[in-house]
Amino acid sequence: MPADPILRFRRWLRDAEHAGAPLAEAMSLATATRDGVPSLRMVLLKQADADGFVFYTDARSRKGRELRANPRAAATFHWNTMGRQVRVEGRVVELPPADADAYWVSRPRGSQLSGATSHQSRVLASRAELVARRAATERRFAGSDVPRPPEWRGFRIVPASIEFWTHKDDRLHHRERFTRRGGIWQATLLEP
């Protein structure tokens, strides 16, 4: 068993990708308001390394506002066909604009156009309005690069704990939690 839970996570993610798990990088992301009102949604993991788990979003979105007001989050990766899941909990830091710029230019043009069009989580009068705005954005940037909107940012969950869950028969699952104390990961077993 790797003593470094980040290395184990990366191995499990590769296993899920090689097994053909659809969107193996999808994670449920839980945030909460300053008062503790929770919300949950799916986002895509874009990087996992010793510093944590990175994803990108519009900072004006509900999750963006909640992350700024209450910079803590939890995420779960679930690979049902493999009988595995990973839970991550920790504080959240906003990445520098240069990181968001670097990731933005790697995105497909269509995703850039949609990201530059959408005011994520804002009430929308009609889908036709969004489609028309998207077409206008496409015309505005025809023949040129689509700049990253300043509100489009990266966030990193800096994990305080990472739990690995493995399905076992008769609900006698294997659970192992790694908790970071003073920069050192300590492993403990949890009852299912």
Side-chain angles (χ1 to χ4, degrees):
M1 136 184 104
D4 182 340
I6 301 294
L7 293 177
R8 181 188 290 187
F9 170 80
R10 291 173 67 160
R11 189 182 79 226
W12 278 28
L13 178 60
R14 275 192 314 273
D15 291 349
E17 291 168 344
H18 292 141
L23 289 176
E25 72 279 16
M27 63 182 189
S28 58
L29 176 70
T31 59
T33 64
R34 188 179 315 251
D35 298 331
V37 178
S39 62
L40 181 69
R41 81 285 290 149
M42 300 300 292
V43 299
L44 297 178
L45 174 73
K46 293 302 176 184
Q47 181 179 334
D49 58 26
D51 296 325
F53 299 78
V54 173
F55 62 95
Y56 292 86
T57 191
D58 187 322
R60 299 170 298 183
S61 69
R62 179 176 177 178
K63 68 182 152 311
R65 292 189 315 269
E66 288 175 355
L67 289 168
R68 285 177 163 177
N70 181 358
R72 293 184 294 269
T76 299
F77 298 85
H78 183 230
W79 304 296
N80 187 53
T81 57
M82 299 178 64
R84 290 178 174 175
Q85 69 177 346
V86 176
R87 297 178 58 228
V88 177
E89 297 174 2
R91 66 184 174 88
V92 174
V93 294
E94 191 169 323
L95 298 177
D99 289 17
D101 289 339
Y103 177 67
W104 179 264
V105 299
S106 75
R107 299 182 85 201
R109 184 172 177 81
S111 294
Q112 290 176 343
L113 289 165
S114 293
T117 300
S118 176
H119 301 287
Q120 201 174 76
S121 300
R122 187 185 292 174
V123 174
L124 181 65
S126 71
R127 176 123 182 113
E129 173 193 327
L130 178 63
V131 170
R133 276 201 336 255
R134 168 62 158 70
T137 301
E138 191 165 0
R139 286 189 302 274
R140 185 169 67 244
F141 296 113
S144 66
D145 292 339
V146 180
R148 177 185 64 83
E151 307 82 18
W152 199 86
R153 301 293 179 92
F155 293 89
R156 178 187 314 276
I157 302 172
V158 179
S161 70
I162 302 174
E163 180 186 326
F164 294 87
W165 178 97
T166 305
H167 173 82
K168 299 294 182 186
D169 290 339
D170 300 323
R171 303 193 60 78
L172 202 60
H173 310 306
H174 181 77
R175 293 176 63 193
E176 188 172 9
R177 180 177 57 206
F178 287 80
T179 306
R180 192 181 340 220
R181 299 209 194 296
I184 297 171
W185 289 104
Q186 296 177 343
T188 54
L189 293 177
L190 301 174
E191 297 211 21

